[in-house]
Amino acid sequence: MIRLLKTALAVASGAGLLSLGAVPALAQSPAAMAAPAGNDYRQAANWLCRPDRLGPCGSDLTTTVIAPDGKATREAYRAARDPKIDCFYVYPTVSHDLTPNSDMIAGPEENSVVLTQFARLGAKCRLFAPMYRQVTLTALQAGILGKPMAVDRVLGLNDVRDAWNDYLAHDNHGRGVVLVGHSQGSGVLTQLIKSDIDGKPVQARVISAILMGTSLQVPEGKDVGGDFQSIPLCHSKSQTGCALAYASFRADSPPPANSRFGKGKPGMKAACVNPAAPQGGDVALHAYWNSGVNSVTGNSATPPAWVVGGAAVTTPFVSTPGLVSAHCVSDEHGTYLSVTVHPSEGARVDVITGDVITGGAIQKDWGLHLIDANLAMGDLVDLVDAEAKTYLAGR
C-alpha cells in the first residue's frame, strides 16, 4: 500500500488554480448600476470553444490508463464527427485578473479549466463555452481576508445570458442541449435556468443540467420545487429534462458545520445525484486526472508520481480504474457525494489530491471541490451519451 503526500492547491482541477464556488459577502460596485455594455457573442473571440473555433477544446486529451499493478497503456480520444446535440458550459472561478471582475481575454487559467472539465464531452456533443466577466479569484480572496472589493455580481450572469441567447438565435436550430457548469459557473447557470429556462418553451430543448460543485436546493423529500419549479433531479442515465448536481467530499471527511457545500436552507436540502449512478448506489467512478503535463499552456509542472519506480507520464491525462468510488449520502452532515479511495496492492499510487490547502492545513469546508469534475469525467461522458440517445429517440 502506497501513501504519498501531495499538495493540492496547485491542483488537480486542471487550471492549477483554486476554483472557489461559495462566494463570500462582497461589496456591490456602484458602477454596476450603470449597466456595463454587453459583449457581442457573434465575435468568435468571446468564446473559449465553438464548433467553428475549438480553441482549447481541440487540444490533446490523450490519457495514460494505469492499472492497479502499475501497468500503463495509452488511451486515444476521438471527438464526434457529427454530433446531434450540443453542450453549453460555464466555467468556475479561475481568473487571476487583478480587477474585481475579469476581462474578456482568455488566459491560461480559462484555457486549462475548459480542457479539464468540458473538452472531453466533444465525444458526444458540439461544444459551446463562452467567456464571461466573472468574479475573480482576486476579489474572492480579498473577501475571505475581510477586505472586500467592489464587484459587479450581475455582470457575469448578464454575459452568460447574452451568450445563451446568441447561441439560441444563431446556432441551436432546435437541437437538444446539455448545460454544464462548476462552482461559480454552476451558480450562474442556476440563475439563468431559473429566470430564462424553467417553465419556458425553451426548456423542452434542455436535455439536462449538470451542476457540479454547488448546493442546488430541493425541498425535503422531493426532487423539484426549490431552485427549479419544473426541472426535477435525474434518477437514471437515460432520463432527460432533469438536473444533476453534487459536491464531493472524502468519505472520512464529511462536510463540517461550516461547510460551503452540501447544506440546505430551512425546509430544503442540497441536491446530490451521483453522475456514475443517478439511480443511487456506491459505484466506481471513471476519473480523468490531470497528469501535470499541460497541453494548453505548453507548461509542465513536475508530474506527480503515478507508479512507484515507474516512468514519468507524458500524456495530459491519467485514468486509474477502480481507484475511487462514490455514493450520495444524506445525514447530519448534509447531502453530498461521498468519495472513497481504495488502497492499491500494486505499484499504483493510491492517493488523490483535490483538497484545498492553505498554510499547510486542509480546509475541510471545501471538500474535494477542486476535482468535482475530474472525479467523474468519464461517467459524465457516458451520461450525456445515454441522455442524448433518449432525447433523440423521442424527437
Side-chain angles (χ1 to χ4, degrees):
M1 185 183 303
I2 297 153
R3 299 290 180 199
L4 299 180
L5 296 178
K6 299 181 183 179
T7 301
L9 188 56
V11 87
S13 69
L17 304 164
L18 183 56
S19 205
L20 307 183
V23 181
L26 297 170
Q28 178 74 15
S29 169
M33 305 303 294
N39 297 309
D40 179 6
Y41 284 96
R42 285 291 78 211
Q43 299 297 316
N46 288 332
W47 296 83
L48 285 166
C49 307
R50 289 179 46 86
D52 54 358
R53 184 179 183 271
L54 282 177
C57 289
S59 299
D60 185 12
L61 293 172
T62 306
T63 300
T64 299
V65 180
I66 302 177
D69 64 3
K71 181 180 179 181
T73 57
R74 290 172 70 93
E75 174 188 283
Y77 167 80
R78 293 178 178 82
R81 290 187 176 182
D82 185 25
K84 303 302 181 185
I85 66 162
D86 298 337
C87 289
F88 185 97
Y89 167 72
V90 185
Y91 52 88
T93 313
V94 294
S95 176
H96 274 307
D97 291 349
L98 298 180
T99 49
N101 288 83
S102 66
D103 58 28
M104 290 292 291
I105 301 172
E109 57 267 43
E110 288 92 354
N111 287 328
S112 292
V113 79
V114 75
L115 174 65
T116 294
Q117 295 191 341
F118 186 59
R120 200 169 294 274
L121 291 177
K124 306 299 175 183
C125 53
R126 295 194 306 171
L127 302 177
F128 293 84
M131 289 284 296
Y132 70 107
R133 288 170 286 186
Q134 67 170 210
V135 176
T136 61
L137 281 168
T138 303
L140 293 184
Q141 290 165 348
I144 291 172
L145 294 174
K147 301 177 180 179
M149 302 173 71
V151 303
D152 187 338
R153 288 172 285 179
V154 180
L155 184 59
L157 171 61
N158 287 339
D159 284 347
V160 172
R161 178 180 286 118
D162 287 345
W164 171 249
N165 287 332
D166 183 88
Y167 159 75
L168 290 177
H170 300 284
D171 297 295
N172 178 261
H173 306 301
R175 294 164 61 95
V177 55
V178 177
L179 302 174
V180 183
H182 180 247
S183 195
Q184 184 176 164
S186 289
V188 169
L189 272 180
T190 298
Q191 293 300 315
L192 178 71
I193 293 168
K194 290 170 67 171
S195 61
D196 292 46
I197 297 173
D198 192 9
K200 307 230 175 6
V202 72
Q203 180 181 331
R205 300 185 217 173
V206 175
I207 297 173
S208 70
I210 298 171
L211 305 170
M212 301 173 283
T214 191
S215 296
L216 185 73
Q217 299 293 293
V218 293
E220 292 281 358
K222 299 182 179 179
D223 63 2
V224 69
D227 280 327
F228 302 150
Q229 299 304 304
S230 57
I231 301 175
L233 299 182
C234 300
H235 292 289
S236 75
K237 285 191 174 182
S238 60
Q239 183 180 351
T240 60
C242 57
L244 181 150
Y246 66 92
S248 54
F249 288 79
R250 293 180 185 271
D252 58 0
S253 185
N258 67 336
S259 178
R260 298 169 185 270
F261 307 100
K263 304 295 186 179
K265 299 176 182 177
M268 299 280 173
K269 68 176 183 179
C272 181
V273 178
N274 186 344
Q279 73 281 3
D282 191 359
V283 298
L285 297 180
H286 187 175
Y288 281 92
W289 315 108
N290 294 80
S291 70
V293 179
N294 193 315
S295 65
V296 171
T297 64
N299 295 327
S300 176
T302 301
W306 294 96
V307 178
V308 171
V313 169
T314 59
T315 62
F317 292 92
V318 169
S319 181
T320 51
L323 180 61
V324 289
S325 65
H327 66 290
C328 285
V329 170
S330 186
D331 59 18
E332 68 275 15
H333 301 290
T335 306
Y336 57 100
L337 189 67
S338 178
V339 178
T340 298
V341 181
H342 298 280
S344 173
E345 298 301 328
R348 186 177 70 187
V349 170
D350 60 0
V351 172
I352 63 170
T353 59
D355 310 281
V356 174
I357 299 176
T358 58
I362 293 176
Q363 306 302 302
K364 295 184 178 182
D365 51 326
W366 290 99
L368 290 172
H369 188 66
L370 299 175
I371 55 170
D372 283 321
N374 297 75
L375 281 165
M377 197 67 242
D379 301 295
L380 292 171
V381 173
D382 292 343
L383 176 76
V384 169
D385 182 46
E387 291 176 335
K389 289 175 180 174
T390 299
Y391 179 85
L392 294 171
R395 302 283 285 183

